[in-house]
Structures are given as C-alpha cells and as structure tokens.
Amino acid sequence: FPSHDRPSRLIEKSKENGFTFYFLGGKPGIAEKAKQKFVELFDYQGVIGLHHGYFDENLESVIIDEIRNLKPDILMVCLGNPKQEKWIQDNFHLLDAKLIFGNGGAFNSSIAFGLCNKYVNTLVSCWICGFVHHVSLYSFIIGFLSLAS
C-alpha cells in the first residue's frame, strides 16, 4: 500500500484481527486523550493500556510489568528521540508485543497542540509525519501486516 495509507491500514488490520494497543508517552493526561481520539476516529476500542512518558526508574518497572501483564499486540512508544529508541532497545526483550515502535512526540503534538498537517488534523496524520522520520520502520509494519493477512 502507499506510504500515506500505512497507519490507517495498520489500524484497519488491527481492528479486523482484534489486535490491541498500548500507548506509552506524552505528558500526563495526553495518552488518555490519544486513546479517546483513537476511539472517535476509528471506532475501535483496541487500546488496552496506556501511561504517560514522565516516569523514573521505579515507575518504569511498574509500567513494564503492566505492559507484560496486558500483553498488547502493538506497543506505541512516544517518548521523543532518542529517548524512545533507547527505551525500546533496553526493554524490548522484557515485553511480549508483536510490534513495538517509537513515534516521537505524536501524542503531544496531535492531541495537545494540534500541530499536525493543517489539512488533515488527525492522529493518523501525526503518525504519517512520525513514520517519515522512521523509514526503517516501514519494513516492520509491512511484516506485521503480512502476519495479519
């Protein structure tokens, strides 16, 4: 599929197959708003857990335990660069998600400040902007979607 269609296609396939999401990142309260927007835009209750991105080492272990217990299929980490890449690298072996990816400050910008594409101000447009900066992520998403087919 074309690059602009990947995020919505990911959500579409996730909805078809019952895949679940966990949102990690953003300022306190923002991940909750991202979840609300997700439900409004896609009519999908697939977000089974979330946590803001402002945590210390003690709270980090609680978050990891929660993610491990909830077993989301897709973990979206929005801690900003390079923090999210380091967090994913340090913790992916502790988690059981099928797809883990970083997407910068997508929660903060899309929900709190509305800084996304002025023509399409949705969570999807923010994901597209984030994906442009994560070109290597395309192969992971395509591989994940092929598993769902």
Side-chain angles (χ1 to χ4, degrees):
F1 10 89
S3 61
H4 66 275
D5 191 35
R6 287 189 181 124
S8 57
R9 187 83 168 117
L10 174 65
I11 296 166
E12 178 185 307
K13 281 292 191 182
S14 297
K15 189 174 176 179
E16 286 173 15
N17 292 282
F19 295 144
T20 56
F21 290 79
Y22 188 102
F23 290 169
L24 176 61
K27 295 177 181 177
I30 296 297
E32 289 87 351
K33 290 180 181 178
K35 178 181 177 179
Q36 290 170 352
K37 190 60 106 173
F38 188 90
V39 172
E40 288 171 21
L41 293 173
F42 305 107
D43 190 30
Y44 183 48
Q45 299 286 337
V47 180
I48 59 170
L50 50 85
H51 200 281
H52 64 76
Y54 293 77
F55 52 86
D56 59 17
E57 289 180 16
N58 294 330
L59 190 52
E60 179 178 43
S61 64
V62 172
I63 294 168
I64 289 170
D65 285 343
E66 179 180 63
I67 295 169
R68 202 176 348 199
N69 289 333
L70 290 173
K71 295 178 176 47
D73 298 300
I74 303 165
L75 172 58
M76 184 173 173
V77 182
C78 295
L79 301 175
N81 299 320
K83 185 177 179 182
Q84 66 196 14
E85 286 78 14
K86 181 171 178 7
W87 191 90
I88 292 168
Q89 181 178 357
D90 291 348
N91 297 298
F92 79 93
H93 66 282
L94 301 172
L95 306 167
D96 196 24
K98 294 176 180 73
L99 175 65
I100 302 172
F101 66 94
N103 202 17
F107 294 155
N108 286 336
S109 62
S110 67
I111 306 304
F113 306 114
L115 296 176
C116 287
N117 183 311
K118 64 183 178 181
Y119 301 108
V120 185
N121 191 12
T122 66
L123 186 59
V124 171
S125 68
C126 289
W127 282 5
I128 293 167
C129 295
F131 286 161
V132 167
H133 299 294
H134 295 88
V135 176
S136 63
L137 180 61
Y138 292 153
S139 61
F140 291 112
I141 292 172
I142 292 167
F144 178 77
L145 291 176
S146 68
L147 291 175
S149 298

